[in-house]
Amino acid sequence: MGEFEHTLDDKGRLTIPSRFREELGERFVMTRGLDHCLFVYPMEEWSVLTGKLKALPFTRADARAFTRLFFSGATECVLDKQGRVNIPVTLRRHGRIDKECVVIGVSNRIEIWSLAEWEKYTSESGDYFNEIAEKIVDFDL
Protein backbone atom coordinates (compact mmCIF):
# COMPACT_ATOMS: atom_id res chain seq x y z
CA MET A 1 0.00 0.00 0.00
CA GLY A 2 0.98 3.58 -0.37
CA GLU A 3 1.95 6.24 -2.89
CA PHE A 4 5.40 7.81 -3.04
CA GLU A 5 6.85 10.42 -5.38
CA HIS A 6 10.47 9.97 -6.43
CA THR A 7 12.91 11.19 -9.05
CA LEU A 8 15.10 9.12 -11.35
CA ASP A 9 18.77 9.97 -11.23
CA ASP A 10 20.82 10.69 -14.38
CA LYS A 11 21.55 6.98 -14.82
CA GLY A 12 17.88 5.96 -14.77
CA ARG A 13 17.93 4.63 -11.22
CA LEU A 14 14.96 4.89 -8.92
CA THR A 15 15.05 4.63 -5.14
CA ILE A 16 12.45 2.10 -4.09
CA PRO A 17 10.62 3.29 -0.97
CA SER A 18 11.88 1.46 2.10
CA ARG A 19 8.33 0.33 2.86
CA PHE A 20 8.42 -1.87 -0.27
CA ARG A 21 11.99 -3.19 -0.13
CA GLU A 22 11.40 -5.98 2.38
CA GLU A 23 8.33 -7.22 0.49
CA LEU A 24 10.25 -7.29 -2.80
CA GLY A 25 13.15 -9.27 -1.42
CA GLU A 26 16.66 -9.44 -2.84
CA ARG A 27 15.52 -10.22 -6.39
CA PHE A 28 12.33 -9.21 -8.13
CA VAL A 29 10.92 -8.73 -11.63
CA MET A 30 9.97 -5.54 -13.43
CA THR A 31 7.98 -5.54 -16.67
CA ARG A 32 5.56 -3.60 -18.82
CA GLY A 33 2.34 -2.86 -17.03
CA LEU A 34 -1.03 -1.68 -18.21
CA ASP A 35 -2.07 1.95 -18.65
CA HIS A 36 1.54 3.01 -19.34
CA CYS A 37 2.97 2.00 -15.98
CA LEU A 38 5.50 -0.61 -14.93
CA PHE A 39 4.64 -3.66 -12.84
CA VAL A 40 7.10 -4.90 -10.21
CA TYR A 41 6.61 -8.34 -8.66
CA PRO A 42 8.38 -10.20 -5.84
CA MET A 43 9.79 -13.46 -7.23
CA GLU A 44 7.13 -15.58 -5.52
CA GLU A 45 4.30 -13.54 -7.07
CA TRP A 46 6.07 -13.58 -10.43
CA SER A 47 6.19 -17.39 -10.33
CA VAL A 48 2.46 -17.59 -9.61
CA LEU A 49 1.65 -15.16 -12.42
CA THR A 50 3.87 -16.86 -15.00
CA GLY A 51 2.18 -20.16 -14.22
CA LYS A 52 -1.20 -18.61 -15.00
CA LEU A 53 0.05 -16.92 -18.17
CA LYS A 54 1.57 -20.17 -19.43
CA ALA A 55 -1.92 -21.65 -19.32
CA LEU A 56 -3.23 -19.12 -21.86
CA PRO A 57 -4.00 -20.71 -25.24
CA PHE A 58 -1.12 -19.95 -27.61
CA THR A 59 -3.52 -20.40 -30.52
CA ARG A 60 -5.23 -17.10 -29.67
CA ALA A 61 -3.60 -14.01 -31.20
CA ASP A 62 -4.49 -11.77 -28.24
CA ALA A 63 -2.92 -14.22 -25.76
CA ARG A 64 0.25 -14.45 -27.86
CA ALA A 65 0.49 -10.67 -28.19
CA PHE A 66 0.00 -10.07 -24.47
CA THR A 67 2.49 -12.71 -23.34
CA ARG A 68 5.09 -11.55 -25.88
CA LEU A 69 4.95 -7.96 -24.71
CA PHE A 70 4.68 -8.85 -21.04
CA PHE A 71 7.57 -11.34 -20.97
CA SER A 72 9.86 -9.58 -23.45
CA GLY A 73 9.81 -6.50 -21.24
CA ALA A 74 10.50 -8.46 -18.06
CA THR A 75 13.82 -8.03 -16.34
CA GLU A 76 15.14 -9.47 -13.10
CA CYS A 77 16.23 -6.70 -10.77
CA VAL A 78 18.39 -6.34 -7.68
CA LEU A 79 18.53 -3.28 -5.45
CA ASP A 80 21.89 -1.61 -4.94
CA LYS A 81 23.15 -0.72 -1.44
CA GLN A 82 21.23 2.57 -1.54
CA GLY A 83 17.93 0.81 -2.33
CA ARG A 84 17.93 1.88 -5.98
CA VAL A 85 16.98 -0.08 -9.07
CA ASN A 86 18.00 0.69 -12.63
CA ILE A 87 14.99 0.97 -14.93
CA PRO A 88 15.92 -0.17 -18.45
CA VAL A 89 15.39 2.35 -21.25
CA THR A 90 12.74 0.18 -22.94
CA LEU A 91 10.66 0.13 -19.76
CA ARG A 92 11.15 3.86 -19.16
CA ARG A 93 9.90 4.42 -22.69
CA HIS A 94 6.85 2.20 -22.11
CA GLY A 95 6.04 4.02 -18.86
CA ARG A 96 6.75 7.44 -20.37
CA ILE A 97 9.04 7.97 -17.41
CA ASP A 98 11.55 10.77 -17.74
CA LYS A 99 12.43 12.12 -14.30
CA GLU A 100 9.51 12.49 -11.90
CA CYS A 101 7.66 9.31 -11.01
CA VAL A 102 5.27 7.78 -8.52
CA VAL A 103 5.68 4.37 -6.88
CA ILE A 104 2.46 2.81 -5.60
CA GLY A 105 1.60 -0.40 -3.81
CA VAL A 106 -1.19 -2.38 -5.47
CA SER A 107 -2.09 -5.69 -3.82
CA ASN A 108 0.57 -8.21 -4.92
CA ARG A 109 2.73 -5.80 -6.93
CA ILE A 110 4.25 -2.35 -7.07
CA GLU A 111 3.52 -0.01 -9.94
CA ILE A 112 5.85 2.70 -11.21
CA TRP A 113 4.25 5.61 -13.05
CA SER A 114 5.52 8.81 -14.57
CA LEU A 115 4.17 11.60 -12.41
CA ALA A 116 2.34 13.12 -15.39
CA GLU A 117 0.69 9.81 -16.35
CA TRP A 118 -0.30 9.10 -12.73
CA GLU A 119 -1.87 12.54 -12.33
CA LYS A 120 -3.74 12.10 -15.62
CA TYR A 121 -4.92 8.61 -14.63
CA THR A 122 -6.09 9.57 -11.13
CA SER A 123 -7.81 12.66 -12.46
CA GLU A 124 -9.73 10.69 -15.09
CA SER A 125 -10.42 7.61 -12.93
CA GLY A 126 -11.14 9.63 -9.80
CA ASP A 127 -14.18 11.10 -11.48
CA TYR A 128 -15.55 7.58 -11.92
CA PHE A 129 -14.44 6.06 -8.61
CA ASN A 130 -18.00 5.56 -7.32
CA GLU A 131 -19.13 4.15 -10.67
CA ILE A 132 -16.21 1.72 -10.71
CA ALA A 133 -17.01 0.63 -7.14
CA GLU A 134 -20.60 -0.13 -8.14
CA LYS A 135 -19.45 -2.23 -11.10
CA ILE A 136 -17.05 -4.37 -9.05
CA VAL A 137 -19.56 -5.13 -6.30
CA ASP A 138 -20.10 -8.50 -7.99
CA PHE A 139 -16.52 -9.48 -7.09
CA ASP A 140 -17.66 -10.07 -3.50
CA LEU A 141 -15.45 -7.40 -1.93
Side-chain angles (χ1 to χ4, degrees), residues 38-129:
L38 306 179
F39 287 171
V40 181
Y41 292 96
M43 292 307 279
E44 184 176 313
E45 290 292 337
W46 179 252
S47 294
V48 170
L49 181 60
T50 56
K52 291 178 181 179
L53 291 175
K54 285 178 185 177
L56 291 174
F58 73 91
T59 54
R60 291 192 49 169
D62 56 353
R64 288 192 310 273
F66 180 81
T67 55
R68 282 180 186 137
L69 291 171
F70 193 73
F71 286 112
S72 68
T75 185
E76 189 173 311
C77 301
V78 178
L79 295 175
D80 68 12
K81 292 178 183 176
Q82 287 78 38
R84 299 174 300 191
V85 62
N86 184 39
I87 301 177
V89 174
T90 55
L91 293 181
R92 280 186 265 155
R93 197 175 309 127
H94 170 79
R96 300 175 179 170
I97 298 169
D98 184 30
K99 240 348 186 178
E100 303 294 319
C101 59
V102 178
V103 182
I104 64 172
V106 183
S107 185
N108 65 341
R109 69 179 178 273
I110 293 169
E111 293 182 358
I112 302 171
W113 291 75
S114 79
L115 179 59
E117 288 293 321
W118 178 244
E119 288 175 343
K120 178 181 167 188
Y121 182 81
T122 56
S123 173
E124 292 171 359
S125 296
D127 293 341
Y128 302 105
F129 187 68

